Amino acid sequence: NPQSSVWVVLLQYVTCCQAVQAENVTVLEGGTAQISCRLQNYDGSIVVIQNPRRQTLFFNGTRALKDDRFQMVLFTPRLVRITLTNVSVSDEGGFFCQLYTDDTHHQVATLSVSVPPDTPTVEVRQEAVEGGEVELTCLSPRSKPPATLRWIRDRREIPGVVSQQENGKTVSVSSTIRLPVERKDNGAAVSCEASHPALGGQKRVRHYRLDVYFAPTVRIIPPPGILREGDSLSLTCSITGNPLPRDVQWTRINDTLPERAEISGTTLQVSRLSQSHNGTYLCQAQNNYGRAADHYTLLVYENVSVTTMVLPTSHHATTHPITLLITPNPGAVIETHSAVPYAVIGGVLALLVFTIICVLIITIWCSVRQKGSYLTHEASGLDEHGEVQEAFLNGNDASQGKKEYLL
């Protein structure tokens, strides 16, 4: 029959031209995946969708597998679409779109699951002690594809030793650095950054502050001014160290603490001071890495006594009171009030005494000089008198010349 032959040829043409196409999809773990099967020249044939384990999910739009995460959202002659919620890496693989006709057609829609890294963690493999090294490891335990780790300090990258380990379909990544440390590095900030294609240019960052252990330092903060009997003493012991020492010891060298001494935390207080409290006080602190101490020498002065003296300004002038503060310090007689400029009077008196002494010295010197001149002339007169006597005894005549002598 020619007519029936035409229908057979047409059916064969339609059957041969039916086709199915599948689309690959990538989704973040925990997200929702849309798996689509596109149909061409669909004639109502059976459409089957299977999971990577070849389990039938849907048969012509009817659920075949009891998994509520899968939902049929669209079934038309052109497009069949299902959704998968709360996707995990175990769902990864090829989903089959099959069209059953005289010749079975199928396409595979590959589902890829991307696992972004969580914020990395920092582990201390070796504790930081002053003068030593610290070993830090940044760990991203799970990512797909592997995350990229970078160490940053003061906006500069620190190269680390990177290692990877596969955990099923995910990868564990670590980066290790070693840093020399001093006590000034205690509290210094370092950061580990994790980058991943699924983060869209963002980074997961873990900040870490170095914890450097070191021996304590101790400094006693002294009180201001001079302490006198009856005053109160307060000494504060300023302590640094890591770990910070919990116990602070106050002692007095070669003696015990005063009975009225009170210790509150790092502060030593002594009320109503007396000279018996004099001595050297010691503050000590220690931790597992060393011990330190500082000392303060206490010197308590006697109380100030006030004495009033009356000094006359002149013979006819009225007297003026002067208040003197007598302190135990050497030369500590301090004039606090006076109505007469005694310093000027003292200067004038000193100049007068100096002038009198000079006059006396000159007078004595002149007297001694005159007495010496008189004695010299007297001796000369005696010599002349002797010559006269000698001439008289020898009987010298007038021929030798007449000489006159004045005796």
Side-chain angles (χ1 to χ4, degrees):
N1 188 345
Q3 186 175 1
S4 61
S5 298
V6 173
W7 282 105
V8 170
V9 173
L10 182 60
L11 180 60
Q12 291 177 350
Y13 175 78
V14 174
T15 302
C16 291
C17 292
Q18 288 186 111
V20 62
Q21 293 178 347
E23 298 175 355
N24 295 334
V25 61
T26 300
V27 66
L28 295 180
E29 184 180 41
T32 299
Q34 292 184 345
I35 302 171
S36 301
C37 300
R38 296 187 180 276
L39 304 176
Q40 293 180 355
N41 302 319
Y42 177 66
D43 63 353
S45 300
I46 297 174
V47 177
V48 175
I49 301 178
Q50 295 178 330
N51 63 17
R53 292 183 292 275
R54 301 307 296 264
Q55 295 173 326
T56 299
L57 300 175
F58 291 94
F59 185 90
N60 261 7
T62 302
R63 181 187 299 277
L65 183 67
K66 293 182 179 180
D67 188 343
D68 293 336
R69 295 186 305 148
F70 292 96
Q71 297 291 330
M72 176 67 71
V73 295
L74 189 61
F75 191 100
T76 67
R78 292 181 177 273
L79 180 63
V80 177
R81 176 173 292 167
I82 67 172
T83 59
L84 171 60
T85 58
N86 194 21
V87 177
S88 67
V89 291
S90 62
D91 297 320
E92 197 173 51
F95 285 78
F96 293 86
C97 297
Q98 293 184 343
L99 178 61
Y100 286 93
T101 62
D102 291 341
D103 294 326
T104 302
H105 302 274
H106 74 272
Q107 289 290 328
V108 178
T110 302
L111 173 62
S112 299
V113 179
S114 179
V115 181
D118 291 332
T119 301
T121 60
V122 174
E123 298 178 354
V124 181
R125 300 288 179 86
Q126 181 178 345
E127 67 180 17
V129 180
E130 179 183 18
E133 285 187 336
V134 59
E135 181 177 318
L136 303 177
T137 298
C138 179
L139 179 63
S140 176
R142 191 171 179 271
S143 61
K144 181 180 177 295
T148 301
L149 301 179
R150 296 172 64 234
W151 281 101
I152 303 295
R153 181 179 183 183
D154 297 331
R155 299 183 180 180
R156 299 177 61 183
E157 182 175 357
I158 305 174
V161 179
V162 179
S163 61
Q164 297 183 359
Q165 182 178 355
E166 293 186 358
N167 297 323
K169 292 185 177 183
T170 62
V171 180
S172 173
V173 184
S174 66
S175 177
T176 301
I177 59 174
R178 295 179 66 90
L179 300 174
V181 291
E182 300 294 338
R183 68 173 58 196
K184 63 181 179 62
D185 297 316
N186 186 43
V190 294
S191 303
C192 178
E193 299 178 349
S195 56
H196 192 270
L199 297 178
Q202 297 182 352
K203 298 175 182 179
R204 301 281 172 84
V205 182
R206 174 67 67 184
H207 299 285
Y208 179 80
R209 292 195 176 274
L210 295 177
D211 191 15
V212 181
Y213 298 104
F214 56 90
T217 58
V218 174
R219 184 175 67 90
I220 295 178
I221 301 176
I226 296 175
L227 295 175
R228 303 185 182 277
E229 291 182 328
D231 292 343
S232 295
L233 171 68
S234 180
L235 298 177
T236 299
C237 196
S238 176
I239 303 173
T240 61
N242 191 24
L244 190 66
R246 295 183 178 180
D247 297 328
V248 178
Q249 296 181 351
W250 283 98
T251 57
R252 182 160 58 155
I253 297 179
N254 298 328
D255 204 343
T256 59
L257 290 176
E259 294 182 357
R260 291 191 293 271
E262 296 181 358
I263 298 176
S264 176
T266 60
T267 301
L268 172 68
Q269 293 181 335
V270 182
S271 60
R272 291 178 295 167
L273 289 175
S274 66
Q275 291 190 340
S276 64
H277 297 152
N278 289 344
T280 301
Y281 291 78
L282 195 66
C283 174
Q284 301 180 76
Q286 68 176 0
N287 59 15
N288 295 334
Y289 301 91
R291 170 187 294 231
D294 192 17
H295 67 275
Y296 169 79
T297 300
L298 174 63
L299 181 59
V300 180
Y301 290 93
E302 296 179 0
N303 286 327
V304 178
S305 59
V306 180
T307 303
T308 301
M309 300 178 62
V310 178
L311 298 178
T313 57
S314 65
H315 181 70
H316 300 287
T318 58
T319 58
H320 299 272
I322 299 177
T323 301
L324 301 179
L325 299 180
I326 311 301
T327 69
N329 296 330
V333 178
I334 305 171
E335 181 178 338
T336 60
H337 178 268
S338 176
V340 181
Y342 290 103
V344 176
I345 296 176
V348 173
L349 291 177
L351 181 61
L352 181 61
V353 171
F354 176 76
T355 303
I356 294 174
I357 293 175
C358 292
V359 171
L360 290 176
I361 293 175
I362 294 173
T363 302
I364 294 173
W365 180 78
C366 291
S367 175
V368 172
R369 182 178 179 85
Q370 290 177 358
K371 183 177 181 180
S373 176
Y374 174 78
L375 293 176
T376 301
H377 289 300
E378 184 178 4
S380 176
L382 290 176
D383 290 341
E384 292 177 355
H385 180 70
E387 291 178 358
V388 172
Q389 288 181 349
E390 184 179 359
F392 179 78
L393 293 176
N394 292 332
N396 290 340
D397 53 14
S399 62
Q400 294 180 351
K402 186 176 179 180
K403 294 182 181 181
E404 292 181 0
Y405 297 92
L406 178 62
L407 300 179

